Amino acid sequence: SRWKASHAHSYACHEIRARASKAHGAMQSDRCLHVCLLGDAGIGHSAFLQCYKQVASSASGGSSAQGKEFSSHHPPFDASPNLESMVAMVELDGEPCRVRFTDNAGGRFLNPLVSTAIKAAHVVLLCYRSDKPESLASIRERWLPLLWSLRCECPWLLVSLASDMRERRRAAGDQLSCVSQDEAEEFAGRYGAWSYTECSSFFPATVQLVVDEALAAGITYYRLQWQLPSPEKEETDDAARETHPVKRWWTAAPKQGEMDVWLPHEKLNVKDDPTQLTEEQVRQGLSQLGDTGTRQHAYLRCDLQALGLTSLVKLRPWVQLQFLNVSRNQLRTLEPVGALRNLLHLNASHNLLIRSQNFTAPDALETCDMSYNCIAELGDWKVHRYLRELNLRGNYIHRISNGLKGNKELRMLDLSENLISKLEHLEHLELRTLNFAQNCLSSLEGIETLSKLQSLDVRHNNITTVAALRAEDIPRLRKLRLSENRISQIRELDQLASFSFLSDLYLEPGPVSQLPQYRAQVLHRLPRLRSLDAQQVTADERVKTELIFGADVETRREIFEQLLPEETFEDRRLMTEETIAAMELEQFGRNGDAGPYGRDEGAELMTFGEQGPPRTRIQQAKFRQRIEQARRGGDPEGVADFANFAAPFLGSPIFDDDLPDVLEAVAEGGVEELLLGPARLSVEGVRQLITFLRESPSRLRHIDLAGCTSVAAVGVELVNTFPFAKGCSLETENSGLAENTVVRLRNQTQEAAAALEKVVEERKRSARAVEEYRKMQPALEDLAQEFCARDSPPPPPPPLCHPLKWRLGVEKLAEAALKDFLKGNSAGLAEANGTWSITGKDGRSVKMTSDEHNALRQACDSMLREWGCNIEQEFEGEEGYDYAGPDAANGDGRPLPEAFAAAFGDAREARANPKLLGFMLWEGVEPSAAAVEAIRRKREEWEAAWRAAQERFERLTDQGQKAHDGSNGSPGVASGQIIAHFSHLSQPSTETSIKSPSFFNLKKVSEARRPAPNMGQDLHEALAAGVVAIEAVTGSSFGVDSVKLELRCLASTPATVAIRRGTIFQHQGWVHRQNLLLGLDYVVQVPAGGTVVKHMNGYCMNQTCACSNGNPMDLTDFYLDDDAVLASQALVWDHFEGIFTGKK
C-alpha cells in the first residue's frame, strides 16, 4: 500500500515467508507465536480463522469439511461454532513454528482472558469491517487504549475484514457508509500499526497475505522479545497471599459460590453443543485390541482428534479404554471422561478447557496432555497418584501452585509457553525433564530442589544468571537450554563445569553467543560437551580450542628451549586468549561481557549519517504510540516520555523532523513534562524547543535533554533566553554544559515549584470541567432541540418534576420551581383524615381522595419508568396500591440525575416521597377521572378476591391439621400445613378439599417406618423417644446452608442423631414460600444436656413460590424416598411441578 511504501524501513530486514507445512505431522517446533485477534463482535473474526484453517488444511494435502471452494457458496462459513482458539503449524525461514490464534470475539465465556491473551501475544490483529465505521472507531476508543494500559509492546496490524463489502456497497451506489482505504491507511500510520491489510473470506489468498504479514511482524518481535525485562512479579509469598488474597475467575479448585464462574463455560445447552460425539465416530476411532485386565479382549484405544467435537457423552459406555485422543476439538469440559476408570493416557490438547480438573480422576492415569487450551491455573493433581507425564504447554498459567506436591511418580513436566515468573513448589518431585520455555522467568531460583533432573529447557525467558544451577543440587543434569535469554557474561558458564554429565548446551541466540570465538570459549570452560547449540562438537573444534587457549604452549616452549637454546621461542598462533580479550574490549568495551542486549549485528553492516540508523518498523510504531498517548494527556498523566523504553529495540532518539509532531501532541494533551533524553537534535532543534517553552501558551514546563550534545553549542544563548520566570526547567546533564549552568537550568526555586504546581492544578481542574461538560451533553442536546428553528413547534417539553428536567446542565430551572413549591408546602403533599392536599400556585388548596392519590402514585411510577427506572406495579392491600417491596425499584435501571436524587431520593424513595407527589400536582400532573375510577374498581375487586382466598386457605389448613397433626405429636413436628399448601398448588381455586400424601408421592414416618440408618438414631425416633428436642428450624433460600436445625439433647448421655435424605420441612403458615427437602444424609452429635446447630442443604419443592427468607419452619412427618428424584434440584422441581400441573 501507499502507506507501507512511505513507512520507515527496517535495517535488520529478514525475508520471511510463512506457509502451511506440507508435512504437518512430522514437524517438530521449539517456537510458538501467539496471534491475538481483537475487535468488536460480529465483524468476521471466526470466518477469518475458518478460512485460514481450510487454507492451511488444503496446503498440507487435506480437504475442507464440505469439500467446496470458498467462493462457491454464501455465506462462506457457518456462524456457529465460533473459533475461539486455533493452533496451526507453519514454516518460517525454513524452520517449523507453531502459531496460536486467539479470537476475543469467539465466545463470551473467554472474555475475561482477553488481557491475559494480549500479554502473551507476539502480534495483535485489530480488526474492523469497512462497512461498519463504528468498528474502526471502537479500535481507537476501546482496543488501542486497552493495549496501552496493559503495556503491550508487541506490534499490531490494522486488518479490514470482509473487504468485499466495500466494493458491493460501491456497486450499489452507497459509499458514504464505508471506511475507505485511504482513511484506514491514515489511521494505521497515525496510531502506529505495523501495517494495514485487507482481506475477505471469499478470497482465501487475501487471508493468507494477512497471516503472512502478521507472522512477519510476530517473528520479528519474537527474536527481540528476550531483551524485555521481566514483568512485575505477582505476590507469591504465602503470608502475603493470605493478607491480600487474589482469587481469579478461572480458579481451578473453586470454593463455595465459585462454580458460578466456570460452570457457565462448561455447561452446554443445545446452541453451545452443535457437534456431539456419535456412536459411529467412536467405533471408527477404535483400535489396538488388547486385554482389559479382566481376562477379556476389547479395544483399548480411541482416536477422536480434529472432529470439531463439543461434547463426549457417547464415550461413557466405553469404560475399557486406556488410550484416548480428543485433541484439536472444541471441548469445554471432559466430564464424560471420568467414566473411563481404566484410562492411562489422555490427550486433550488444542481445546477450550479453562480448568485442569474438569473430570473425575481415573484410577491410574499416567500421561495427560492439556496443551494449548485456555487454562489459567495449574490446579491440584494429587488425585492422579500415578501420573508420570504432564503437558500444560501453551496455556495462560501465571504461577506454579502447590498442586503437584502429591505427584511422586511425575517424571516429565512441560509448562512452556505460559506466563510463569518464578519456579516454586517443585520440592519433593522426582522430575527427569522440565520444560519452561517461553515464560517470564528472571532467575532459576527454586530449581535446586529437583535433585534427579536430567533435562532443563528454559529457552526464551528473561534469565540473566545461572547462579542457581549447582552440581551438588542437580548432579545428573545432561541437557540444558538457555538460548534466547539475557546471559551476557562468559564467566557464568564456569559454574557449569562441575556438572559431570552435562553433554548438551544451548546458548545461541543470546548476548553471550556474540562474544568473539564464542564456541571456543565455551568448550574451553566445558570440555565435556558433546553438542553446543545443536551442533556436534568435533575433534577439530577441540583441537582448535586447545590451541587458542595454549594447552601445550608451555610444553612446546620447554622442548624448543632444550633443542635450540640459542634461539627465541615465538608463539605463532593466529588466535590466542589475549587476542580474544582485545577483540572483546574493542567490540563491547569490557572483557567477557557482551552487555545485557549484545550488539545489533545488522546495524553494524550498514553505514549511516550523523543521525544514525533510521527507525525500524517496531520503533516507528512505538514512536507513533507515544505521540498519541501524549495527545491523550500523557502516560503517566502529564508526562510525554520519548526517552525511556522497556528495551533498546523499542526506542529510538528524537530527530528534528519529529519535533512538530511531538510539540503538537504535547500542546493538545496539556502535558507538563517532556522527556527527550539523548535526542539527536541539531542546534536549531534545541532553539525550537526553547522558543516553544517561552512563547507557547501550553502547559509544558519541563524538558529533559540529558545527553543531547547539541545543547552545549547554545549554552550562553540558552541561559539568556530561557523562560525562568514561567517556572520552566531544563535537564541538561551529560550534555557538555558546565555544572553550574546545568544547575541553573534546572530552576529548582520555590517560585518555579509554585508555577509548576499551579499548572498541574489547572490541568486537573480542566479535566474535571471537561468531564462535567460531557455529562451535560444529553440534556443540552434536548434543550437545543426545544428551541431550534423549525417549521412547526416541537412537542411540549416534560414538566419540571420529570427527571429529564433535572439532568446536569438544565437542572437550575427545576430546582428554582421546587424551591417556590416548598415555600408554601414544606411537607409536600400533606395527608389528613384520608385526604391529601397542597397549596397551589394561585394560593388555593388542591385536595385529593384516596383513589386520586393512588392514581398520582401510579403516574409517578410511569414517569420514573419513562426515565428508565425498573418499576413493578402491584395492586394489593386496603389502600389499593402496594409498592411491591424491595424488588419494585431495583438498582438495575438507569440512575436518576444527581440533583433529582438529592431532592427526592433514589427511585425507591422518590416514588413514595410526598414532596415529589406534591410537586407533580404543583406542575399540573393530575390523574384523570377515568384513571381514578379504574383504580377504585380494581381495588374493590382485589379486596373481594383476597378475602375469598384467605377463607379458602383457612379451610385447607384446618383439614390438613385435623388429618395429620395429632395431639400426641412431638414438639416441633407438624405436617398439616404442607399438605394444605400442596393441595392449593395442585387444584383449582374453587376446590377446598385436601389431597392425600400419596398423591404427592410422600410417605409418613408414623405409617411407613424407614430402614434403620447406618449410624445414629433416626431424628423422628429420637424425638418420639424424648432423646432430643427441636429448639428451632429456620429456612433461608435453598441449596447450601438453607436449613438451620437446632437440637437439644434431653438424655444424660450424648446422642447421635441421623437426619435422613428425603426429610421435609414445612413453613408454619401461609407465607407462600418454598418448603424444603433434604437431599443428603446428615449425622449430628448432640452433647448430653447441650444443644447443637446444624446447617443443611435443602431443595426447594416447587417453582411458583418465593424462597425462604429466615422464616421459622417445622419438621414434618413426611419423607420422599425416591433417590432418583433426590439426585438434583431440577429433578425435584420436575417431580413436584409435574404433580401440581397434572402432567405426572
Side-chain angles (χ1 to χ4, degrees):
S1 68
R2 286 168 289 176
W3 178 79
K4 288 191 285 185
S6 62
H7 197 281
H9 71 280
S10 171
Y11 59 85
C13 181
H14 298 277
E15 181 180 355
I16 299 175
R17 172 61 182 169
R19 50 188 171 86
S21 169
K22 295 184 178 180
H24 180 89
M27 298 181 71
Q28 298 296 326
S29 173
D30 289 331
R31 300 180 299 179
C32 181
L33 299 183
H34 187 183
V35 181
C36 183
L37 281 73
L38 298 178
D40 293 347
I43 62 174
H45 296 83
S46 298
F48 173 87
L49 287 181
Q50 290 183 41
C51 180
Y52 179 69
K53 182 178 181 180
Q54 297 193 32
V55 168
S57 175
S58 176
S60 59
S63 59
S64 64
Q66 291 82 13
K68 298 180 180 180
E69 294 294 332
F70 294 102
S71 58
S72 62
H73 55 100
H74 177 76
F77 307 103
D78 297 331
S80 180
N82 289 321
L83 289 178
E84 291 119 339
S85 183
M86 182 184 80
V87 179
M89 187 72 75
V90 302
E91 189 175 306
L92 294 176
D93 287 345
E95 297 181 3
C97 181
R98 288 188 183 93
V99 181
R100 178 171 189 170
F101 297 87
T102 302
D103 172 16
N104 82 289
R108 63 187 184 278
F109 301 114
L110 299 184
N111 285 340
L113 276 177
V114 170
S115 60
T116 305
I118 292 174
K119 293 178 181 178
H122 296 95
V123 61
V124 173
L125 304 185
L126 295 182
C127 305
Y128 77 100
R129 273 183 57 153
S130 59
D131 61 329
K132 293 185 176 181
E134 65 277 9
S135 63
L136 182 62
S138 182
I139 290 178
R140 179 180 61 251
E141 301 300 331
R142 177 184 179 188
W143 297 112
L144 279 175
L146 176 62
L147 294 184
W148 298 341
S149 66
L150 294 174
R151 299 291 190 270
C152 178
E153 306 291 0
C154 70
W156 62 274
L157 279 69
L158 181 65
V159 181
S160 174
L161 303 177
S163 59
D164 57 291
M165 294 302 297
R166 184 172 57 221
E167 303 302 323
R168 294 184 183 184
R169 292 285 185 92
R170 183 179 301 170
D174 181 11
Q175 301 183 34
L176 297 179
S177 60
C178 292
V179 178
S180 68
Q181 183 176 352
D182 290 341
E183 292 174 327
E185 290 177 352
E186 190 276 333
F187 184 99
R190 173 176 177 177
Y191 290 96
W194 171 275
S195 66
Y196 165 67
T197 56
E198 295 183 348
C199 68
S200 170
S201 297
F202 283 97
F203 304 99
T206 63
V207 173
Q208 181 66 60
L209 289 174
V210 171
V211 175
D212 287 349
E213 187 72 12
L215 296 184
I219 195 63
T220 301
Y221 177 74
Y222 175 91
R223 289 169 175 161
L224 299 168
Q225 190 181 17
W226 60 269
Q227 297 183 17
L228 292 172
S230 181
E232 295 181 0
K233 297 180 180 179
E234 295 182 320
E235 291 180 306
T236 55
D237 182 72
D238 293 336
R241 289 184 179 277
E242 292 178 3
T243 306
H244 306 285
V246 178
K247 290 301 297 178
R248 297 190 182 91
W249 73 276
W250 51 74
T251 302
K255 296 181 180 179
Q256 177 181 351
E258 291 179 356
M259 284 176 54
D260 297 338
V261 173
W262 52 260
L263 187 59
H265 178 79
E266 298 179 0
K267 180 179 63 177
L268 298 178
N269 53 35
V270 175
K271 181 179 179 181
D272 296 326
D273 192 15
T275 313
Q276 303 178 27
L277 178 64
T278 64
E279 188 75 21
E280 181 63 24
Q281 288 174 319
V282 175
R283 295 185 182 277
Q284 290 178 358
L286 294 174
S287 63
Q288 196 170 332
L289 190 65
D291 188 353
T292 63
T294 58
R295 303 292 182 180
Q296 296 178 343
H297 284 80
Y299 288 106
L300 304 181
R301 183 184 184 96
C302 187
D303 292 287
L304 301 170
Q305 71 271 24
L307 297 177
L309 301 176
T310 53
S311 64
L312 300 172
V313 177
K314 294 296 183 180
L315 270 180
R316 292 182 184 276
W318 301 87
V319 295
Q320 77 283 356
L321 289 177
Q322 297 180 10
F323 301 82
L324 178 62
N325 183 357
V326 291
S327 61
R328 299 185 181 277
N329 285 291
Q330 297 286 306
L331 299 174
R332 295 177 179 172
T333 178
L334 299 176
E335 187 271 336
V337 175
L340 311 181
R341 309 308 306 163
N342 298 309
L343 192 65
L344 300 177
H345 307 281
L346 172 63
N347 184 353
S349 60
H350 300 85
N351 280 286
L352 299 174
L353 307 175
I354 65 172
R355 292 190 305 145
S356 54
Q357 275 71 56
N358 54 28
F359 62 99
T360 304
D363 295 333
L365 189 67
E366 294 184 3
T367 67
C368 182
D369 186 350
M370 289 187 177
S371 57
Y372 299 103
N373 279 279
C374 300
I375 298 170
E377 283 196 0
L378 180 64
D380 191 349
W381 292 86
K382 64 176 178 291
V383 292
H384 302 282
R385 295 178 297 168
Y386 304 103
L387 189 66
R388 297 182 63 84
E389 297 183 5
L390 176 59
N391 188 349
L392 293 173
R393 171 189 289 261
N395 284 286
Y396 299 116
I397 300 173
H398 285 74
R399 176 176 175 261
I400 307 175
S401 63
N402 56 7
L404 296 173
K405 286 190 174 181
N407 298 97
K408 303 297 184 182
E409 301 297 323
L410 191 63
R411 297 295 180 265
M412 193 282 291
L413 176 62
D414 192 345
L415 287 170
S416 301
E417 301 167 28
N418 281 283
L419 301 169
I420 299 170
S421 59
K422 183 178 180 181
L423 296 174
E424 57 184 340
H425 300 303
L426 297 176
E427 55 271 13
H428 310 304
L429 294 181
E430 298 186 3
L431 291 174
R432 304 302 194 268
T433 302
L434 180 60
N435 296 331
F436 262 89
Q438 287 190 235
N439 275 280
C440 304
L441 299 177
S442 58
S443 75
L444 293 175
E445 293 294 333
I447 201 69
E448 64 276 2
T449 61
L450 302 176
S451 60
K452 297 184 179 181
L453 191 66
Q454 297 179 7
S455 176
L456 175 62
D457 185 356
V458 288
R459 173 186 52 82
H460 204 84
N461 279 278
N462 298 287
I463 298 170
T464 58
T465 178
V466 294
L469 286 176
R470 294 182 291 270
E472 56 269 25
D473 298 328
I474 316 173
R476 304 179 185 180
L477 188 64
R478 298 176 180 270
K479 183 177 181 179
L480 178 61
R481 302 196 66 171
L482 292 168
S483 53
E484 300 176 47
N485 278 284
R486 300 177 64 188
I487 298 173
S488 61
Q489 299 180 357
I490 194 69
R491 65 171 178 266
E492 288 283 340
L493 306 183
D494 294 340
Q495 186 164 335
L496 302 180
S498 56
F499 285 89
S500 303
F501 299 100
L502 183 62
S503 59
D504 298 308
L505 179 63
Y506 297 78
L507 293 170
E508 187 179 15
V512 71
S513 66
Q514 296 182 358
L515 292 173
Q517 297 297 319
Y518 146 73
R519 289 182 66 86
Q521 292 200 59
V522 174
L523 294 177
H524 172 64
R525 288 167 170 80
L526 306 174
R528 298 189 186 93
L529 287 183
R530 296 180 181 178
S531 173
L532 177 59
D533 299 326
Q535 294 183 15
Q536 194 75 17
V537 178
T538 65
D540 290 344
E541 276 190 301
R542 295 188 188 278
V543 171
K544 179 182 176 181
T545 300
E546 291 178 356
L547 287 175
I548 291 176
F549 289 91
D552 62 342
V553 168
E554 293 302 323
T555 302
R556 291 167 58 193
R557 183 190 301 274
E558 291 176 2
I559 295 173
F560 183 91
E561 291 177 349
Q562 290 176 3
L563 297 177
L564 300 171
E566 297 179 357
E567 300 291 333
T568 302
F569 177 79
E570 293 185 9
D571 187 353
R572 299 182 181 276
R573 291 177 297 165
L574 299 178
M575 184 65 63
T576 64
E577 188 173 3
E578 292 75 15
T579 306
I580 293 175
M583 295 173 63
E584 290 174 345
L585 284 174
E586 179 183 355
Q587 296 178 20
F588 302 102
R590 48 194 174 270
N591 287 127
D593 188 353
Y597 307 109
R599 67 179 187 273
D600 193 331
E601 297 176 351
E604 293 180 355
L605 300 177
M606 305 178 68
T607 302
F608 305 99
E610 294 181 358
Q611 290 191 339
R615 292 190 179 104
T616 65
R617 296 176 73 171
I618 291 181
Q619 289 171 342
Q620 177 67 15
K622 183 58 62 175
F623 170 71
R624 296 309 311 179
Q625 172 186 322
R626 295 290 175 93
I627 289 289
E628 290 306 315
Q629 288 177 317
R631 281 197 173 96
R632 297 175 181 231
D635 183 23
E637 188 176 7
V639 179
D641 189 353
F642 294 90
N644 302 300
F645 296 89
F649 75 90
L650 294 171
S652 63
I654 296 297
F655 307 115
D656 285 0
D657 293 342
D658 301 324
L659 287 181
D661 286 342
V662 171
L663 296 179
E664 178 184 289
V666 165
E668 290 180 355
V671 170
E672 293 105 25
E673 298 183 41
L674 174 60
L675 309 182
L676 299 178
R680 294 182 179 175
L681 299 177
S682 66
V683 172
E684 288 302 319
V686 175
R687 289 186 177 129
Q688 185 178 352
L689 285 174
I690 304 307
T691 301
F692 183 85
L693 270 179
R694 186 174 58 249
E695 299 178 0
S696 171
S698 71
R699 291 198 285 266
L700 183 64
R701 290 298 182 272
H702 175 75
I703 299 179
D704 185 344
L705 285 174
C708 179
T709 56
S710 296
V711 174
V714 290
V716 177
E717 176 187 348
L718 189 60
V719 174
N720 293 335
T721 60
F722 195 77
F724 293 104
K726 290 179 63 175
C728 296
S729 59
L730 185 68
E731 178 58 61
T732 57
E733 189 176 9
N734 299 326
S735 299
L737 292 177
E739 184 62 26
N740 60 338
T741 303
V742 172
V743 174
R744 177 74 178 95
L745 289 172
R746 286 173 181 165
N747 199 16
Q748 294 179 344
T749 63
Q750 293 183 354
E751 293 79 5
L756 182 59
E757 181 63 28
K758 183 178 180 181
V759 171
V760 173
E761 183 57 36
E762 175 58 25
R763 171 172 54 81
K764 294 179 180 179
R765 190 187 68 83
S766 178
R768 292 193 296 267
V770 169
E771 183 180 0
E772 291 295 317
Y773 181 74
R774 292 186 185 279
K775 293 179 180 179
M776 295 165 54
Q777 288 307 297
L780 297 178
E781 280 290 330
D782 290 347
L783 188 63
Q785 292 297 322
E786 289 180 13
F787 295 100
C788 67
R790 58 174 68 191
D791 295 335
S792 59
L800 294 178
C801 57
H802 199 287
L804 288 170
K805 289 297 184 180
W806 288 79
R807 289 176 293 176
L808 186 64
V810 297
E811 76 281 8
K812 300 300 182 183
L813 186 61
E815 290 175 342
L818 177 64
K819 184 177 181 180
D820 290 341
F821 165 73
L822 293 178
K823 287 180 180 178
N825 303 275
S826 58
L829 187 62
E831 188 266 341
N833 300 323
T835 301
W836 285 263
S837 64
I838 65 167
T839 301
K841 294 181 179 180
D842 56 1
R844 292 182 296 180
S845 177
V846 180
K847 296 184 178 181
M848 304 181 67
T849 65
S850 175
D851 291 337
E852 289 173 333
H853 179 257
N854 287 329
L856 182 62
R857 293 160 74 180
Q858 186 175 357
C860 180
D861 279 355
S862 298
M863 180 181 70
L864 295 175
R865 191 179 299 108
E866 180 182 353
W867 164 259
C869 298
N870 289 345
I871 304 296
E872 296 179 5
Q873 295 184 3
E874 285 189 10
F875 295 89
E876 185 177 354
E878 293 185 358
E879 294 188 10
Y881 190 84
D882 181 47
Y883 286 114
D887 294 332
N890 57 51
D892 296 334
R894 181 183 179 188
L896 287 166
E898 294 182 4
F900 187 93
F904 306 113
D906 59 21
R908 196 188 322 277
E909 298 167 344
R911 59 203 304 264
N913 192 321
K915 292 182 179 180
L916 177 57
L917 296 174
F919 189 44
M920 291 173 65
L921 274 181
W922 172 275
E923 286 296 316
V925 179
E926 297 183 5
S928 63
V932 173
E933 178 60 23
I935 289 178
R936 183 191 63 78
R937 185 176 64 254
K938 288 182 179 180
R939 174 173 56 80
E940 293 175 351
E941 292 173 353
W942 161 252
E943 291 176 351
W946 183 83
R947 290 189 179 93
Q950 295 304 311
E951 294 175 359
R952 175 171 173 267
F953 294 155
E954 291 177 2
R955 287 196 292 269
L956 290 173
T957 299
D958 290 342
Q959 294 179 61
Q961 292 176 347
K962 187 178 297 183
H964 301 290
D965 293 339
S967 58
N968 296 327
S970 302
V973 179
S975 306
Q977 182 61 38
I978 192 172
I979 295 299
H981 188 199
F982 281 8
S983 298
H984 160 66
L985 295 174
S986 59
Q987 60 190 10
S989 58
T990 56
E991 294 288 336
T992 57
S993 60
I994 62 172
K995 301 285 187 180
S996 66
S998 61
F999 180 83
F1000 308 105
N1001 292 338
L1002 302 180
K1003 296 181 180 179
K1004 205 168 185 179
V1005 174
S1006 58
E1007 299 174 355
R1009 292 289 178 181
R1010 308 181 73 173
N1014 295 328
M1015 182 182 296
Q1017 185 178 16
D1018 183 273
L1019 175 60
H1020 288 87
E1021 295 178 359
L1023 291 171
V1027 177
V1028 296
I1030 294 178
E1031 291 292 306
V1033 180
T1034 306
S1036 301
S1037 186
F1038 66 97
V1040 178
D1041 294 344
S1042 56
V1043 180
K1044 178 183 176 183
L1045 173 63
E1046 184 176 357
L1047 290 178
R1048 179 167 54 89
C1049 181
L1050 304 179
S1052 57
T1053 58
T1056 302
V1057 179
I1059 308 170
R1060 318 286 292 280
R1061 66 176 179 272
T1063 300
I1064 297 173
F1065 296 85
Q1066 70 169 20
H1067 283 285
Q1068 295 178 353
W1070 286 96
V1071 295
H1072 296 279
R1073 295 185 180 275
Q1074 296 282 2
N1075 301 292
L1076 295 174
L1077 166 69
L1078 297 187
L1080 303 172
D1081 289 326
Y1082 295 91
V1083 177
V1084 181
Q1085 302 289 340
V1086 189
T1091 59
V1092 66
V1093 175
K1094 182 65 177 178
H1095 294 274
M1096 298 174 289
N1097 188 320
Y1099 294 133
C1100 58
M1101 301 179 69
N1102 71 290
Q1103 293 178 299
T1104 56
C1105 291
C1107 295
S1108 301
N1109 189 21
N1111 304 94
M1113 305 188 77
D1114 289 327
L1115 172 68
T1116 70
D1117 199 27
F1118 300 116
Y1119 67 93
L1120 180 69
D1121 64 350
D1122 190 342
D1123 287 345
V1125 174
L1126 295 174
S1128 72
Q1129 174 65 79
L1131 290 172
V1132 171
W1133 278 333
D1134 292 343
H1135 174 79
F1136 287 104
E1137 288 294 334
I1139 294 174
F1140 298 152
T1141 59
K1143 296 179 180 179
K1144 189 171 182 178

